[in-house]
Amino acid sequence: MSTTQSERLRGLLEPLVSAKDLDLEEIEVSRAGRRRMLRIVVDSDEGVELDTCAELSRAVSDALDESDVMGDEEYVLEVTSPGAERPLSELRHYVRATGRLARLTLAEDGELVARIMNADEDGVDVEVPGVKGRKATARRIAFADIVKARVEIEFNRKDKKEEEA
């Protein structure tokens, strides 16, 4: 039974990523000119610090050097976090985005921008901002009704510490 490069990479990388208390979100192999690019996206509930990415990058590089998963061709290794406007596709993504504004594309109701208040196995509770002085409204959305979701960047969002003060 033969395994794909993607499966072999995942098998090699997951233990290294887990050892740093991170989640392996994505593995992408693409072309960058004559070289290939291996991009590894990791995340955690507390976010990912640059030093952690650097440590993981060294560990991944050593593991790849010892294996034949990437073959003989040259490649560039990039270890990164998902970024500010990350897509939401797993329950853990919604849980991490609690309190954040998100743009949700719904199967039947079009697009909705709302603040994620809570998430569980079945769906997400959101608060839809009021328009023209109206109060915000609470809404429950099942994951089955969400086609696509992405965190929105808020430039004027209050920091949690400011809200608690």
Side-chain angles (χ1 to χ4, degrees):
M1 179 175 153
S2 115
T3 58
T4 66
Q5 180 184 35
S6 175
E7 291 169 337
R8 293 179 63 210
L9 278 168
R10 187 163 290 280
L12 180 70
L13 299 175
E14 274 189 329
L16 299 171
V17 172
S18 294
K20 299 280 183 196
D21 292 325
L22 299 171
D23 295 316
L24 181 58
E25 296 291 344
E26 183 181 341
I27 301 170
E28 179 184 328
V29 180
S30 61
R31 282 265 169 220
R34 293 188 326 213
R35 293 187 178 147
R36 289 176 299 161
M37 168 74 90
L38 172 58
R39 185 170 183 258
I40 300 165
V41 181
V42 296
D43 201 6
S44 79
D45 290 344
E46 294 79 35
V48 182
E49 294 184 3
L50 186 58
D51 288 344
T52 306
C53 279
E55 291 169 14
L56 181 59
S57 181
R58 286 188 289 276
V60 167
S61 181
D62 291 344
L64 289 170
D65 288 347
E66 294 172 8
S67 78
D68 65 345
V69 170
M70 290 300 290
D72 294 333
E73 282 185 73
E74 291 183 17
Y75 64 91
V76 174
L77 173 63
E78 177 184 330
V79 177
T80 187
S81 64
E85 290 185 311
R86 65 129 4 112
L88 306 173
S89 58
E90 304 281 336
L91 172 59
R92 69 176 179 266
H93 299 161
Y94 288 92
V95 170
R96 289 176 185 155
T98 299
R100 306 273 317 265
L101 207 57
R103 181 173 302 275
L104 308 166
T105 303
L106 306 176
E108 303 211 2
D109 295 333
E111 204 168 70
L112 172 71
V113 176
R115 188 161 312 280
I116 297 172
M117 304 309 288
N118 189 35
D120 59 37
E121 299 79 26
D122 300 318
V124 63
D125 296 316
V126 298
E127 183 180 81
V128 182
V131 180
K132 296 183 181 177
R134 293 187 180 154
K135 287 186 176 183
T137 56
R139 183 170 173 187
R140 174 75 176 171
I141 303 171
F143 285 131
D145 296 334
I146 300 173
V147 175
K148 184 169 75 171
R150 182 174 297 276
V151 170
E152 288 279 293
I153 294 178
E154 293 179 82
F155 293 107
N156 59 352
R157 181 175 178 225
K158 288 185 178 180
D159 191 332
K160 284 182 181 179
K161 291 177 185 173
E162 288 179 39
E163 290 176 3
E164 292 171 359

